[in-house]
Amino acid sequence: MDRPIRVLAKAVRQRIGPGRLRDLLHGVPTGKPLHPPLTDLSLGCWLATAVLDLAGADPRAARAVLATGIAGAIPTAASGITDWSALHREQQRVGFVHAIANVAALGLYVGSLAFRLAGHDRRGKLLAFAGLGAAGAGGYLGGHLAYRQAAGSNHAESVTHLVPLGWHDLCELKDLPEGRPVARRLGYIDLFVLRVGEGVTVLADHCSHLAGPLHQGQLVSDQGTVCVVCPWHGSAFRLTDGTVAHGPATAPQPYFETRIRRDGVLQVRPAPI
């Protein structure tokens, strides 16, 4: 499946280029991935449809809930395929089958609604139960993506429990190159370090999207603020505080306060959350 995956992922990235729409579909404005809560809407409605059908409830109620789930599937699919296009290939393979299962479920539910509107409730119910099975398979694969393959999780180090409170010696200021990001290590954590004159910016080095090495990224200006762009999938983080300027990342980079001792040693400590 790698060839169709490669072609489709490239087409999605080209169609939904960098900008506000892509950031919205990733969930950057809320700081959380948008796709998971949207899936809850459609799956919840479709499961409720099954309960209503089994209980022999008013057919109009079942049709209304079913139609709501179908309508919710459109933005759910848009956010999901946007996230999928910026994953590693191993994750994309699972995500591709996940998408096929969900498309099959959507087709069965659309057919179910059409039968119900035509007065063939029994056929509509059978298609809905088949759709629930396909949606369940898709949901299982989505859970595998999230919990086994960590797609959508925050991959930046949680520094609060890895770094003790207080200031820590990192390196001498003179050992840092001017204007070029480098990696330095503080205990268990790899750090992105950028020196500009006497000022130093320090972030966790592993990108929160999929742990890409930020010190290998490009420095860009976004609306007057300097950002570092992850070399793997293009997430951009503001150097002023580590917040996300552009996705696919939604979680900010842990940011470190800095100071220079009189003997020229750079000290860092995690910034308050």
Side-chain angles (χ1 to χ4, degrees):
M1 296 184 294
D2 283 355
R3 184 173 182 179
I5 286 173
R6 184 166 53 250
V7 172
L8 180 58
K10 182 178 180 181
V12 171
R13 290 194 299 268
Q14 290 177 342
R15 182 63 178 173
I16 310 175
R20 293 183 179 179
L21 176 60
R22 191 180 76 168
D23 288 342
L24 177 63
L25 291 173
H26 282 307
V28 173
T30 61
K32 300 290 188 298
L34 180 64
H35 184 62
L38 290 181
T39 62
D40 292 345
L41 171 64
S42 291
L43 288 175
C45 287
W46 292 340
L47 182 59
T49 300
V51 173
L52 292 172
D53 286 342
L54 290 172
D58 187 338
R60 293 176 299 177
R63 290 196 299 266
V65 175
L66 173 56
T68 301
I70 292 173
I74 297 173
T76 301
S79 61
I81 198 170
T82 303
D83 287 343
W84 173 84
S85 69
L87 295 176
H88 293 317
R89 186 57 49 82
E90 293 80 4
Q91 297 166 323
Q92 287 181 332
R93 291 168 181 158
V94 177
F96 190 63
V97 183
H98 165 75
I100 291 174
N102 287 332
V103 168
L106 178 60
L108 289 167
Y109 277 116
V110 170
S112 172
L113 182 60
F115 272 128
R116 292 168 193 258
L117 292 174
H120 304 295
D121 280 352
R122 186 174 181 276
R123 293 179 181 179
K125 290 179 181 181
L126 291 175
L127 281 185
F129 286 125
L132 186 61
Y140 173 82
L141 292 173
H144 182 84
L145 266 171
Y147 295 106
R148 183 65 62 84
Q149 295 185 312
S153 301
N154 178 10
H155 289 258
E157 293 90 343
S158 180
V159 299
T160 52
H161 68 277
L162 294 176
V163 179
L165 297 176
W167 292 97
H168 304 274
D169 295 344
L170 185 61
C171 62
E172 293 192 19
L173 182 65
K174 63 182 179 64
D175 293 335
L176 297 173
E178 174 72 23
R180 178 171 62 86
V182 293
R184 292 292 184 267
R185 193 164 182 84
L186 178 65
Y188 299 101
I189 300 176
D190 292 322
L191 299 179
F192 163 98
V193 183
L194 174 65
R195 174 191 173 187
V196 179
E198 295 296 312
V200 182
T201 297
V202 178
L203 306 174
D205 189 49
H206 294 164
C207 173
S208 64
H209 176 232
L210 285 176
L214 290 185
H215 74 278
Q216 297 179 14
Q218 181 181 4
L219 300 178
V220 300
S221 178
D222 182 77
Q223 298 181 353
T225 301
V226 179
C227 301
V228 58
V229 178
C230 178
W232 283 6
H233 301 101
S235 299
F237 302 92
R238 300 179 182 90
L239 296 186
T240 52
D241 55 8
T243 55
V244 179
H246 299 291
T250 57
Q253 287 300 116
Y255 176 79
F256 288 76
E257 297 176 341
T258 63
R259 72 180 184 185
I260 310 297
R261 286 195 332 210
R262 292 182 179 181
D263 59 359
V265 172
L266 170 65
Q267 292 186 315
V268 299
R269 70 176 179 185
I273 299 176

